[in-house]
Amino acid sequence: MTDKAVIGVTGLAVMGRNLARNFARHGHTVAVHNRTTAKTKALVEEFGHEGTFVAAETAEEFVASLERPRRLVIMVKAGAPTDAVIEEFAPLLEPGDMIVDGGNAHFADTRRREAALRERGLHFVGTGISGGEEGALNGPSIMPGGSVESYQALGPLLESISAKVDGTPCCTHVGPDGAGHFVKMVHNGIEYADMQLIAEAYDLLRHGAGLTPAEIADVFTDWNSGRLGSYLIEITAEVLAHTDAKTGKPFVDVILDQAEQKGTGRWTVQIALDLGVPVSGIAEAVFARSVSGHADLRRAGRGLPGPARTGTAGSPVSPDDVEKALYASKIIAYAQGFNQIQAGSKEYGWDIDAGAMATIWRGGCIIRAKFLDRIRGAYEADPSTPTLLTDDHFTEALADGQDAWREVVATSARLGIPAPGFSSALAYYDALRAERLPAALTQAQRDFFGAHTYRRVDEDGSFHTHWEAGNTEARA
């Protein structure tokens, strides 16, 4: 008789299949199940040599094949399909068993599901998994939420299959209920911002400095050996060096310039608005993708007056300046993302360790980068730091990149090259630096038309000016 499986995976599309294979490769007996049994059989037939799989055709067989406490990973589409799978399996489980949702669920749905299943004596573990299909197979970054008790039984398994950096697993218990999916959401928001900044750097080098995609690929390869070293910089160099086999043109030139999105970046911005946290870098990245997709709007605007989007003689944009602007803007984007994690942690009582998030993002995930080790160090030095910008390393980097950053933003405006990521990052930085902001005028306007009151710099309390009665002031 086959031994009981220590963990099971239901939903065997690419991510689920690769995750199951990863467990098996690490010596774990894995139960596998899919609504279409052909996928289950195909997995075992093709990859059965990689480890021990227990194939199940029905939900009942699948649950029966798992040792107690049962660890059941669902890898299906977020939303209604996830709820349907939960309702299929929950009645078959017993108190103490756990359902692990490894999809990109909205954290609010995870909180709802966790509370409902807790009432039934079951653990629900919303788990962020980053790294795509390659990461799922070879070692992702894993962000599990849920109860401490569930992590005691589940954590060692997840840590064993996660990416490792300097021997440290890229997996840790994030916090209760929806904390894991919240952190994965912000991870993806930061990913949006990082990709947008890289795209702007490419655009500036191509249309500002006049470099070809192949030449820009060499620039990115050089950057990847320095402080910008990361997975995204590495693959950017590879994409830009690639030539389309059909046309012989640079590959980047045959791709329709409309970037799609699955929603996690948009969720990040929506939740940031709810929390009152400025994440302008992520927001600009989301809106840049939206603009790219409005073909009719862009077609209508092509005849609008403006610069020719081409650098003049003498290459007004230098790669060194763009590198400094990119690094500075990247610092801003990550600082905003980590601020959102801290705000969410406070709002929902999760007690998330920001430094631990930087630690598990160093490998496996899409935003893995050398840079994250600096962030980990910043939070180790001061876990309560209000912003990464005040860490000595990042303060020095921003000071060093000041002139180049401002020059790149000014040049992009002068040449008509849209750089919303660079520009908004600089505006955010200058807003934090300002002794006073024009928000004083905004609040005065609000009091004028809506009697919304204001506070004074020289006296406690709220005040309202009676604008239509001699501009007299009174306490609100």
Side-chain angles (χ1 to χ4, degrees), residues 119-465:
E119 290 292 320
R120 299 163 74 164
L122 302 176
H123 296 283
F124 185 73
V125 184
T127 302
I129 300 176
S130 180
E133 53 190 82
E134 179 186 347
L137 181 62
N138 298 315
S141 175
I142 309 178
M143 297 152 259
S147 67
V148 173
E149 294 79 10
S150 65
Y151 193 77
Q152 289 172 347
L154 179 67
L157 289 170
L158 297 182
E159 290 175 14
S160 72
I161 68 162
S162 71
K164 311 292 189 302
V165 175
D166 300 328
T168 300
C170 292
C171 173
T172 191
H173 182 233
V174 176
D177 56 73
H181 276 143
F182 182 92
V183 164
K184 175 58 163 58
M185 175 192 74
V186 177
H187 164 283
N188 285 21
I190 293 172
E191 178 186 309
Y192 273 55
D194 208 342
M195 293 174 70
Q196 174 64 24
L197 292 170
I198 290 171
E200 290 178 18
Y202 153 75
D203 207 18
L204 283 158
L205 292 173
R206 186 158 192 190
H207 296 104
L211 302 182
T212 66
E215 290 169 333
I216 301 171
D218 290 338
V219 172
F220 274 85
T221 298
D222 181 56
W223 287 354
N224 196 47
S225 65
R227 61 183 180 176
L228 283 171
S230 67
Y231 174 70
L232 285 172
I233 292 290
E234 177 187 344
I235 66 171
T236 299
E238 189 168 336
V239 168
L240 291 174
H242 183 52
T243 299
D244 178 53
K246 181 178 180 180
T247 63
K249 295 180 179 179
F251 181 65
V252 72
D253 286 348
V254 301
I255 300 174
L256 186 65
D257 59 340
Q258 296 180 9
E260 298 176 358
Q261 51 186 308
K262 289 188 175 180
T264 47
R266 185 168 62 250
W267 291 349
T268 307
V269 178
Q270 290 169 340
I271 300 305
L273 290 170
D274 292 340
L275 293 170
V277 180
V279 293
S280 50
I282 298 171
E284 289 294 353
V286 172
F287 288 131
R289 293 195 189 189
S290 296
V291 169
S292 77
H294 281 272
D296 292 344
L297 191 62
R298 292 174 59 197
R299 199 159 32 244
R302 281 210 182 98
L304 294 173
R309 230 172 79 96
T310 304
T312 56
S315 297
V317 179
S318 78
D320 285 345
D321 281 356
V322 174
E323 189 272 346
K324 290 180 178 178
L326 177 56
Y327 191 68
S329 300
K330 182 183 175 86
I331 292 171
I332 300 297
Y334 280 68
Q336 291 178 347
F338 274 90
N339 283 158
Q340 183 167 358
I341 289 174
Q342 291 171 314
S345 179
K346 182 178 180 181
E347 175 72 16
Y348 299 108
W350 287 329
D351 195 26
I352 297 174
D353 182 341
M357 298 307 99
T359 299
I360 66 172
W361 288 350
R362 293 181 303 162
C365 67
I366 303 302
I367 64 171
R368 59 186 183 267
K370 297 177 184 177
F371 174 79
L372 282 154
D373 213 34
R374 301 298 320 188
I375 295 178
R376 178 190 58 80
Y379 282 114
E380 282 186 354
D382 182 7
S384 62
T385 184
T387 174
L388 288 169
L389 307 189
T390 57
D391 174 74
D392 287 346
H393 170 79
F394 294 126
T395 300
E396 290 172 10
L398 291 165
D400 177 64
Q402 284 284 299
D403 292 343
W405 192 10
R406 297 181 188 282
E407 182 61 30
V408 165
V409 170
T411 301
S412 69
R414 191 165 57 248
L415 296 178
I417 299 173
F422 285 169
S423 301
S424 69
L426 182 57
Y428 175 85
Y429 177 73
D430 284 337
L432 294 191
R433 292 176 54 250
E435 183 68 29
R436 278 182 63 79
L437 293 170
L441 176 58
T442 303
Q443 193 61 22
Q445 292 170 328
R446 295 182 75 243
D447 187 64
F448 192 108
F449 65 68
H452 292 296
T453 75
Y454 53 86
R455 287 171 293 162
R456 296 178 58 90
V457 298
D458 56 359
E459 191 174 351
D460 290 337
S462 296
F463 297 84
H464 168 58
T465 294

